[in-house]
Every structure is written in C-alpha cells, then in structure tokens.
Amino acid sequence: MTELPGNHTAAMVDAVVETFENLAFMEPEHLTGERPSFGETAIRYRLAITSPFAGWIRLTIEKDLAASIAGTVWSLDPAEVEDQLCRDNIAEILNTIAGRFMKAAIPGDQLFALGLPEPCEPEDATAGAGATYPFLLEDGLFRIDLVI
Amino acid sequence: MKKILVADDSSTARMFVIRCLQIVGCRDAEFLPAANGREAYDTLKGQEVDLIVTDLNMPEMDGATLLKKVKASPRFHDIPVIVITSGYNPAKSEELQKMGAMAVMEKPVSPPALMAVLTTFIQPEEKSNDGAAW
C-alpha cells in the first residue's frame, strides 16, 4: 500500500475549502477528532486516483445539505433542486476537490490522472479509509475519505 | 453572434463556465453545450464555432482527444480551445499547450481568470463600446 502524502491533511482541507469558496461561495469548517456517520439517505460519490498511485477519494454528504449547496450554486430554492441536479453538483464538487488535492499533494512536474465521479454504496464509502476529513457547513455535515 | 461550444459532462460545470463567460462580457454569445468530446465534435460539424471551452476528463471522448481532433482537422484547427480541468498542474498544462490548447485553466474557473485569457484572444475591434467582449 502506498503511504499517504506527508502534507495530506493540509492539502485536502485547502482543496475542500477553496472548492466550496470558489464554486459555491460557502465556507466549510474542518472538524478534528470526529468521524461522523451518515444514514441511508446520504449522498455518496467516489472518484478513482489512477496515477501516480492508485486510490479513491470519496465524499459523503447529508442529502439536505447537498440540496442546499446545489440551490446556492444554481440560485434555486433547495426544495426545487431535483435529485439529478443535486447529484451532478456533488459529483462536480468532488471532481474539483480531487484535482486540487492531487495538485497540492504531488510535485508540480509530475502528471497525475483521475477517474470520473461515480455514485457508491454506503459500505464502499466507509470501508478501509486511509484518512477521513469531516467538515461542518451550514449546520450540516459532510465527510471526505482518502483511500490509497 | 459568436458561438461558444462548452463541453463538460457536468451540467453544473457547464452552467458555471457559461455564467463566468457572460460575466466577462460574452453576454450576447450563443452557448452550445456538449456532455463529452464526441458530442462536442459532432456539434462542430454542424455549426460555425468561434471558441471551444472544454473539460479534460469526460466519458466517451475526453478533452485531450477532442483537442487533438480539432487541431488535426483542416476545417477546425483555427478554432481556439480553452481546456478547463480539475487535474491542473504545470506539467499537464505544458502538455496540453503543446497539443494546441490556447490556455489551460484550473477548475473552478473564475471570471478574472477567464478575462485574462480572453483578453489575449479577443481583438480590440471585437469589443463593444461598453467594454463587453462579445
């Protein structure tokens, strides 16, 4: 198994905060010492890291919070956000977080490759996480897992 | 009216790019959305497109393949291509610019960053009196 990059926590927290600030104009707060769990209704997406090492970055988020974020991005009432739009928005957020994380975590002269965001099952979203990064946003929770 | 082809498999990303382009002055442009490189290339065949803004990582045909096809085509090779990617780093940027990309930008794009790129692309006579680009 590949070791986690030495700067992984700072790289991931920066990637998450910058992504939410730039894409959704929201400021998530990194929570330390917690590993929140989520119910069946949570939205779960994962994205493969395929090079220079193999792994996954996964995002788990409460459905109401996901709808609120999509509403902010699309200038819609969260109640009007359709499920597909909500999921598309979360997938794009994960995609952006993953890219920013990899950019910070590996040297600038080294190429990296990522897969496409895809929905995953609850058990996939919790098994074997190498590192977990929980966040608070608008009184809701989401979590990023890095597995390498 | 200028036509801008925006290729990304995410409707959120396409909306975000179009919104940024409108903010920096492309208010009157017609935006042609495509969900992957194949759709984008098919759209090119039926339209006179002035600018392509494409994501890199897409299903069916990715942005690098689209860029390669566009630059290899006698009909399309003059169309400027901006690549927007979450997987941005200096090495990737250099590789894509060698392939013919006019610019490589990191997701999510911002209006100032897009403005900086478009300023080099849009000729002064194409700007209207109120400063809008298109």
Side-chain angles (χ1 to χ4, degrees), chain A:
Chain A
M1 177 183 283
T2 308
E3 286 188 10
L4 290 169
N7 60 344
H8 70 92
T9 299
M12 186 63 82
V13 172
D14 288 349
V16 170
V17 171
E18 287 168 7
T19 296
F20 274 88
E21 283 180 349
N22 293 332
L23 192 60
F25 316 110
M26 303 168 103
E27 292 183 36
E29 178 189 347
H30 179 222
L31 302 173
T32 54
E34 294 188 38
R35 192 177 194 278
S37 56
F38 296 86
E40 288 289 314
T41 60
I43 294 176
R44 297 167 166 87
Y45 270 79
R46 67 180 182 180
L47 185 149
I49 303 165
T50 55
S51 173
F53 49 81
W56 294 95
I57 297 177
R58 299 187 289 224
L59 169 59
T60 308
I61 187 167
E62 293 171 349
K63 193 171 184 181
D64 288 348
L65 178 56
S68 174
I69 295 165
T72 301
V73 171
W74 283 85
S75 304
L76 294 170
D77 185 313
E80 296 174 0
V81 175
E82 293 182 2
D83 187 62
Q84 187 52 45
L85 186 63
C86 187
R87 291 176 179 276
D88 180 272
N89 192 61
I90 290 304
E92 181 60 16
I93 286 171
L94 173 60
N95 184 39
T96 306
I97 289 170
R100 284 182 172 254
F101 169 74
M102 291 300 290
K103 179 189 170 192
I106 68 168
D109 60 353
Q110 190 172 357
L111 291 171
F112 61 89
L114 301 170
L116 295 168
E118 60 186 42
C120 61
E121 298 300 316
E123 54 271 28
D124 292 338
T126 56
T132 292
Y133 316 88
F135 291 87
L136 176 69
L137 180 64
E138 287 191 337
D139 297 328
L141 294 169
F142 69 93
R143 193 180 81 207
I144 304 285
D145 296 314
L146 172 64
V147 184
I148 60 175

Side-chain angles (χ1 to χ4, degrees), chain B residues 100-112:
Chain B
M102 181 180 78
V104 183
M105 304 181 70
E106 182 177 22
K107 279 190 171 184
V109 290
S110 66

